[in-house]
Amino acid sequence: MNAPVSFAESKMPLFLGVLFVLGLIAPFAIYPTFLMKILCYGLFACAFNLLLGFAGLLSFGHAAFLGTAGYVCGLMVRDLGVTPELGILAGTVSAGLLGWLFGWLAIKRTGIYFAMITLALAQMVFFLAIQIRATGGEDGLQGVPRGNLFGVVDLSDNIAMYYLVFAIFCLGFFIIYRTIHSPFGQILKAIRENEPRAISLGYDVAKFKLIAFVISAALAGTAGATKTLVFQLASLSDVHWHASGEVVLMTLLGGLGTILGPLVGAATIVALQTQLADSVGSWVTVIMGAIFVLCVLSFRRGIVGELQALIKRSGVN
Amino acid sequence: MLSRKFTTTACAAALAALSCGAQAQISGGSVKIGVLTDLSGTYSDLAGSGAVLATKMAIDDFIANEKPNFKIEMVSADHQNKADIASNKAREWIEREGVDTVTELVTTSTALAVMKVAKEKDRIVIMNGPASTPITNEQCNDVSVHYTYDTYAVANGTAKAVTTGGGKTWFFLTADYAFGQALEKDATAVVVANGGKVLGSVRHPFPGSDFSSFLLKAQASGAQVIGLANAGADTTNAIKQAAEFGITPKQSLAGLLMFITDIHALGLKSTQGMYLTEGFYWDRNDETRAWSKRFFEKQKKMPTMVQAGQYSSIYHYLKAVKAAGTDDTTKVMAMMKKTPINDFFAKNGQIREDGRMVHDMYLMQVKKPADSKYPWDYYTIKATIPAAEAFQPLSQSRCPLIKK
Amino acid sequence: MEIFGIPTALLGSQLLVGLINGSFYAILSLGLAIIFGLLNIINFCHGAQYMMGAFVAWIALTRFGVNYWVSLIAAPLIVGVVGVVIERLMLRRLYKLDHLYGLLLTFGLALIFEGIFRDQFGISGESYEVPELLSGGVNLGFMFLPIYRGWVIVASLTVCFGTWYMIERTKLGAYLRAGTENSQMVQALGINVPLLITFTYGYGVALAAFAGVLAAPIFQVNPLMGSNLIIVVFAVVVIGGMGSIMGSIVTGLGLGLIEGLTKVFYPEASSVVVFVIMVIVLLVRPAGLFGKS
């Protein structure tokens, strides 16, 4: 929905570098589990943004990928004794496959119909999660061990786990960044801006959309599998449509179609939820809803989008 | 050589110094108790804010009566009956806020999740609300105490009484999660052991709201008794809807796990004659009445067994901390298991190696409206089931901690 | 007597329960279809508005002693007004934008409403007594039907067909349908299209609230009662063909019946069957069963 601004873009490598360094030292100042939650949801939101912000497709069922990967990873690590990195890989692959299936069914339609189909498909996954005994249903998949990375590094130490999560986030982010700044990414943008034109130029639009969908689903799965290892638990909340709505909010709040927006949005929402959960209870939902409404009505560019616009204006001056 | 007086004084001084030095070694300087319960959902009445109040009363009474030399703090949170919220909260409490013990934990899935976190982090878990027997069987560990009741104890009382009373054929309406399944399993064993037969069962999503299709299935089975393997609002709604569809009084309902708050919500007219098994009744004797009146003043409701058990378990825990001189998990657990419980809640209650606290349970029947003389006068105590009989014997335990 | 090995009594009673659920699906998907047809907005807030209808009835009864019959008219009016306010203040600004923003706005509103009610009332649910006139039941032979549930079917069908008639057969309905197809032309002809749109949204919301009042004695009044139902209703609307009035009514009822049947033969699948059907319909007839593509 918005094209990035060139001034901010040229400074992007600098921003990213600074963030990287901050990320390396952060766990010594801030509670690591809180940071890991931000990174997992940040990756989830970045993956979602690839689909919505760059390909223009609103999926209202992305939780299906987050949750499915979480369950697959959890089951493999807990019951089959698989090492954590293979568990995350398995989660990613399963989410990618599911994304291929969903995408193939949903791509036929556009706009609101596309969103509704993804929502309904995700609901099927939700109900399957309740019914299949292996997931533990309402009780959730509990007691997932963090294990030893590559059989060597003990991940039950929060700091060790943090660096793994950080590395995974950086890898995922890098993949998305390269995808966006590649010819493939350019074509996606062209499709988003004017689909009939892209078709007339000879591009197999459906194929491009499907590929974008699969990449987005797979990376959402990576986030979900990692999250299961961090919290040692996979539950129905991860496949519930509220989680799908949350990621939309994070991306919208942070800035649709911007590189860093989703991470900023995820950090803000996770921080809000953590701060308010005890003191204000149900008001967390109200505040999230209010942020949604405000963003849609008058803050559509999101935090990063508005910042970029500000920089552009002051740059012109 | 040294005068006797000097020696005595010196000894006394040395002893005093020693005992001051042996002041309780409390991590973080205070004993912090976390009450993790359902504050707004299906089980908020039977546990919820009442359990938080009971904990506070226990702490205040302990400080007033025992004058400990350590500080005691309490935190509470709503787990919304979700295992992930409970697990994350417990983890955060332990890692960041120095919470020493996580308690209450109504809803079995939350209890099982927190038991795992507690074992990993070496903290004590004291459970009053959750019901399922796997807590002290397959999932048992050595940092957990399952205090007030479990599905075996209530099934044993109620299912036995109903089956031997003539309800031979049963059909179960079960909440589809660990607790409901455990309750159905334990009740089935009792029904069959007493000459009854289970014709079938149906599972409803947790929490449910409209039970019509499930109740119609129960009706079609033709069973004499429809066993409700659920609790809280699920049970009360099922009872109401069964009446709506004309299922009762032709078939009778057995609320396998019911609390005084459910009877209060439904009224005596629709519940009269029902059997239930509880671990506590506010009106049983003078001691229980005295404590319950104090509770009622603040909460405006009479306490359920979960809330009374919460008070008793926290008081017992604090006594163990004082006696052990530390809040170290292993030492306190050992002290808790060693010391019997004698208060208004239980006489000669004992925490076993599997973490199960055994005490007398009471088989009660709901009074007819005409027999109820004052508010909350709901039960007649039909029998006291002694501790040894009420709970699953250790010989049948599937807990890995028990050496056979 | 048995059909396919299932006693007729059980089959009949589950179908009847299915018809009752189907009535709710029908009214709710009707409201959504009307709103989508004219405004091209998916009203994610529909479930919350249904919930608010039930709560208004409950609050009216417990705090003000207002009875069920008055609530049946008053609640839809009150919640309808809330809908009008939403449309005027917020939705109106989004018509020129991508339609997805409307979906996101109503989603945000749903969160707000649910959060507020949840904070005030908790989630264990409040009970609403069946009104005197409709209590008790009728023995149909194969089952005992509570009169209230029979009333639900009658009331919903009346409202549904009344709405259909209004839209397809009256002048007002004609303006509405024309406004969907070509609002500029209709406006040029002197019809106040913005007012029409506001009224339409308000009416759709009022339908949801009406369903809420009907639901109060059956489902227990609780803040989350709408949020799970609404997802199924979306599937119903997609199957019926978004924007088709008759489509949504028929599909709603039909799906309720199918769900009831599933509960007899394969109960675990009863919650998924609607979505399975949706996927199949979309593959075979992308515009929905009654939709025009």
Side-chain angles (χ1 to χ4, degrees):
Chain A
M1 296 173 176
N2 273 318
V5 175
S6 56
F7 174 79
E9 260 217 325
S10 67
K11 288 283 178 274
M12 185 57 72
L14 184 62
F15 286 149
L16 292 177
V18 169
L19 279 175
F20 185 79
V21 172
L22 280 176
L24 284 174
I25 56 176
F28 299 103
I30 307 176
Y31 180 45
T33 311
F34 174 71
L35 289 170
M36 289 193 274
K37 193 171 180 191
I38 291 180
L39 288 173
C40 287
Y41 278 104
L43 182 58
F44 185 34
C46 287
F48 178 80
N49 187 38
L50 177 66
L51 200 58
L52 179 59
F54 292 96
L57 296 166
L58 171 62
S59 154
F60 223 101
H62 246 56
F65 310 122
L66 185 81
T68 303
Y71 280 121
V72 168
C73 175
L75 277 168
M76 296 196 78
V77 171
R78 189 189 71 173
D79 296 340
L80 298 177
V82 163
T83 51
E85 73 284 354
L86 289 180
I88 295 179
L89 192 62
T92 307
V93 168
S94 63
L97 285 173
L98 192 65
W100 188 82
L101 180 63
F102 275 30
W104 179 73
L105 285 168
I107 297 281
K108 299 178 197 298
R109 308 283 282 156
T110 54
I112 291 199
Y113 298 90
F114 177 84
M116 286 296 110
I117 295 172
T118 53
L119 176 57
L121 288 170
Q123 274 309 97
M124 288 172 76
V125 170
F126 178 74
F127 286 122
L128 278 173
I130 295 182
Q131 294 303 330
I132 297 178
R133 292 291 137 197
T135 61
E138 291 286 350
D139 303 319
L141 194 71
Q142 297 187 11
V144 177
R146 283 198 186 157
N148 297 312
L149 183 64
F150 302 122
V152 178
V153 182
D154 181 11
L155 292 175
S156 49
D157 173 46
N158 271 344
I159 301 285
M161 188 71 207
Y162 171 83
Y163 283 120
L164 174 65
V165 175
F166 186 64
I168 291 175
F169 175 82
C170 291
L171 182 62
F173 188 83
F174 178 73
I175 293 176
I176 294 174
Y177 191 83
R178 293 297 295 141
T179 307
I180 292 170
H181 293 280
S182 68
F184 175 79
Q186 297 300 319
I187 299 173
L188 274 184
K189 255 185 268 175
I191 295 174
R192 182 190 78 213
E193 263 151 41
N194 196 332
E195 191 170 325
R197 190 135 177 261
I199 297 176
S200 71
L201 284 170
Y203 288 114
D204 184 350
V205 163
K207 193 177 88 177
F208 279 94
K209 284 190 193 173
L210 186 58
I211 295 176
F213 200 96
V214 172
I215 297 177
S216 173
L219 286 171
T222 312
T226 311
K227 191 167 83 71
T228 296
L229 287 178
V230 171
F231 292 105
Q232 303 187 255
L233 177 59
S235 73
L236 289 176
S237 317
D238 299 329
V239 274
H240 196 273
W241 59 270
H242 271 168
S244 294
E246 249 179 43
V247 74
V248 180
L249 178 60
M250 290 176 185
T251 311
L252 190 61
L253 175 64
L256 271 169
T258 63
I259 307 290
L260 284 172
L263 180 60
V264 171
T268 315
I269 296 295
V270 170
L272 254 172
Q273 284 175 332
T274 313
Q275 275 310 101
L276 296 176
D278 289 338
S279 38
V280 218
S282 306
W283 283 94
V284 181
T285 319
V286 179
I287 290 173
M288 302 239 289
I291 296 176
F292 235 124
V293 170
L294 270 162
C295 281
V296 170
L297 286 178
S298 42
F299 198 63
R300 278 185 287 276
R301 286 184 287 211
I303 297 175
V304 174
E306 291 291 337
L307 274 172
Q308 284 175 339
L310 223 83
I311 293 171
K312 186 178 185 190
R313 272 202 296 277
S314 61
V316 167
N317 291 344
Chain B
M1 292 192 314
L2 291 164
S3 77
R4 248 188 132 207
K5 196 170 169 206
F6 179 76
T7 322
T8 327
T9 323
C11 288
L15 269 169
L18 273 174
S19 57
C20 282
Q23 181 165 33
Q25 283 138 22
I26 306 291
S27 62
S30 77
V31 173
K32 211 160 177 185
I33 299 174
V35 184
L36 194 51
T37 180
D38 173 16
L39 288 174
S40 56
T42 325
Y43 298 145
S44 47
D45 277 341
L46 65 95
S49 56
V52 179
L53 171 63
T55 310
K56 181 132 200 336
M57 282 170 71
I59 295 174
D60 291 342
D61 287 354
F62 182 80
I63 294 177
N65 298 343
E66 312 276 339
K67 307 206 199 323
N69 57 11
F70 50 85
K71 258 183 24 166
I72 309 174
E73 291 172 83
M74 178 183 82
V75 287
S76 62
D78 184 358
H79 60 42
Q80 299 175 45
N81 296 324
K82 296 210 174 99
D84 51 331
I85 298 183
S87 168
N88 295 346
K89 194 74 206 159
R91 188 183 290 270
E92 197 191 305
W93 268 351
I94 294 171
E95 284 176 0
R96 281 188 93 184
E97 295 184 42
V99 168
D100 300 301
T101 168
V102 182
T103 75
E104 211 293 275
L105 294 170
V106 67
T107 303
T108 303
S109 32
T110 65
L112 292 174
V114 173
M115 279 169 73
K116 293 198 167 59
V117 173
K119 177 73 187 137
E120 196 194 307
K121 305 273 171 195
D122 193 39
R123 294 285 188 278
I124 295 181
V125 181
I126 302 174
M127 296 167 278
N128 283 291
S132 315
T133 35
I135 291 175
T136 47
N137 279 284
E138 292 86 351
Q139 307 287 338
C140 76
N141 62 34
D142 58 3
V143 301
S144 311
V145 176
H146 196 189
Y147 201 83
T148 303
Y149 71 108
D150 62 24
T151 48
Y152 183 99
V154 297
N156 214 10
T158 310
K160 189 165 169 196
V162 172
T163 314
T164 49
K168 292 286 180 224
T169 54
W170 284 64
F171 187 94
F172 286 103
L173 175 61
T174 306
D176 196 9
Y177 74 108
F179 152 68
Q181 294 151 20
L183 189 51
E184 185 190 323
K185 182 156 164 269
D186 288 335
T188 302
V190 175
V191 167
V192 168
N194 285 285
K197 189 158 170 250
V198 176
L199 299 179
S201 73
V202 66
R203 294 199 171 155
H204 72 76
F206 167 74
S209 58
D210 180 33
F211 297 94
S212 40
S213 31
F214 310 108
L215 286 169
L216 286 171
K217 270 209 136 160
Q219 186 180 46
S221 74
Q224 288 165 299
V225 184
I226 301 175
L228 299 173
N230 53 22
D234 286 347
T235 307
T236 50
N237 287 335
I239 292 177
K240 271 196 271 196
Q241 286 166 17
E244 217 189 303
F245 275 86
I247 294 176
T248 47
K250 204 158 134 231
Q251 287 164 292
S252 57
L253 293 173
L256 291 168
L257 179 53
M258 293 192 71
F259 298 88
I260 199 165
T261 39
D262 300 325
I263 309 298
H264 188 75
L266 286 165
L268 290 177
K269 199 160 141 245
S270 42
T271 53
Q272 56 185 306
M274 280 180 92
Y275 280 107
L276 46 111
T277 308
E278 283 223 55
F280 175 82
Y281 180 38
W282 73 271
D283 205 12
R284 190 168 65 87
N285 58 32
D286 290 331
E287 254 190 292
T288 60
R289 273 187 283 272
W291 184 82
S292 305
K293 293 225 158 73
R294 284 175 54 206
F295 182 89
F296 187 85
E297 254 148 52
K298 304 227 172 69
Q299 187 71 0
K300 304 295 175 239
K301 292 195 183 115
M302 279 303 176
T304 62
M305 63 169 165
V306 172
Q307 292 154 347
Q310 181 73 7
Y311 176 100
S312 172
S313 59
I314 298 300
Y315 204 97
H316 184 67
Y317 167 76
L318 290 170
K319 270 170 62 184
V321 171
K322 182 164 179 233
T326 168
D327 63 0
D328 170 74
T329 302
T330 321
K331 298 206 173 78
V332 174
M333 281 299 289
M335 187 61 72
M336 288 210 293
K337 288 180 178 171
K338 205 169 75 179
T339 327
I341 295 125
N342 275 298
D343 60 11
F344 73 94
F345 179 76
K347 291 281 174 273
N348 293 319
Q350 191 74 42
I351 301 178
R352 307 192 308 205
E353 305 121 79
D354 56 356
R356 177 70 254 165
M357 201 288 257
V358 293
H359 61 102
D360 297 341
M361 298 287 288
Y362 308 99
L363 176 68
M364 298 187 273
Q365 192 173 32
V366 180
K367 287 186 169 174
K368 297 208 240 312
D371 298 332
S372 172
K373 304 289 177 233
Y374 41 86
W376 297 89
D377 174 23
Y378 294 152
Y379 299 153
T380 324
I381 300 185
K382 295 299 248 186
T384 303
I385 310 170
E389 226 182 275
F391 292 90
Q392 182 186 45
L394 270 177
S395 55
Q396 287 174 20
S397 174
R398 302 177 295 281
C399 171
L401 292 174
I402 309 294
K403 329 260 178 294
K404 303 255 173 84
Chain C
M1 201 179 78
E2 297 206 340
I3 302 179
F4 296 122
I6 309 284
T8 353
L10 182 60
L11 194 63
S13 59
Q14 295 289 7
L15 278 176
L16 203 46
V17 171
L19 197 58
I20 295 167
N21 287 333
S23 309
F24 284 110
Y25 292 155
I27 297 197
L28 288 170
S29 61
L30 179 61
L32 271 179
I34 291 176
I35 294 174
F36 184 76
L38 196 61
L39 282 68
N40 240 303
I41 285 183
I42 298 279
N43 186 26
F44 228 107
C45 206
H46 218 64
Q49 286 150 349
Y50 157 83
M51 178 268 289
M52 289 197 284
F55 261 103
V56 166
W58 181 78
I59 293 174
L61 183 67
T62 50
R63 304 254 171 102
F64 303 105
V66 171
N67 74 27
Y68 174 82
W69 302 101
V70 175
S71 290
L72 216 45
I73 314 279
L77 276 173
I78 295 173
V79 183
V81 165
V82 172
V84 165
V85 168
I86 293 173
E87 198 277 331
R88 285 261 140 157
L89 285 182
M90 297 186 249
L91 283 174
R92 182 155 290 218
R93 305 214 210 150
L94 301 177
Y95 294 148
K96 298 209 170 30
L97 297 174
D98 195 311
H99 294 308
L100 295 173
Y101 281 118
L103 186 159
L104 295 178
L105 178 84
T106 51
F107 180 78
L109 286 172
L111 288 179
I112 293 179
F113 290 133
E114 269 165 26
I116 292 179
F117 278 85
R118 213 186 136 146
D119 183 71
Q120 288 297 307
F121 299 103
I123 60 166
S124 56
E126 309 286 354
S127 136
Y128 191 98
E129 290 309 317
V130 172
E132 267 306 320
L133 202 66
L134 296 172
S135 54
V138 147
N139 196 334
L140 297 175
F142 62 90
M143 81 176 271
F144 182 85
L145 176 69
I147 292 186
Y148 186 77
R149 299 194 187 223
W151 155 251
V152 164
I153 300 177
V154 168
S156 336
L157 287 180
T158 312
V159 167
C160 282
F161 284 107
T163 307
W164 173 82
Y165 187 85
M166 182 186 80
I167 293 179
E168 296 291 329
R169 297 274 184 265
T170 65
K171 216 158 154 201
L172 174 64
Y175 293 154
L176 238 105
R177 281 177 288 130
T180 324
E181 311 221 357
N182 195 333
S183 66
Q184 281 177 317
M185 182 68 92
V186 174
Q187 200 142 19
L189 288 170
I191 311 291
N192 188 343
V193 174
L195 187 62
L196 208 56
I197 292 181
T198 306
F199 166 76
T200 306
Y201 187 75
Y203 186 73
V205 170
L207 277 177
F210 180 77
V213 180
L214 284 180
I218 298 183
F219 293 117
Q220 312 312 312
V221 181
N222 89 71
L224 296 181
M225 65 195 287
S227 67
N228 294 316
L229 190 54
I230 201 61
I231 304 292
V232 179
V233 178
F234 280 143
V236 169
V237 174
V238 169
I239 295 174
M242 295 155 117
S244 161
I245 304 298
M246 185 49 84
S248 49
I249 299 175
V250 171
T251 316
L253 289 169
L255 278 161
L257 283 169
I258 294 180
E259 227 186 44
L261 261 176
T262 320
K263 282 203 180 121
V264 178
F265 294 104
Y266 188 17
E268 286 78 14
S270 59
S271 26
V272 210
V273 71
V274 179
F275 300 104
V276 172
I277 293 180
M278 192 198 80
V279 171
I280 297 174
V281 167
L282 282 171
L283 286 175
V284 172
R285 260 186 81 97
L289 291 176
F290 298 88
K292 328 131 195 158
S293 203

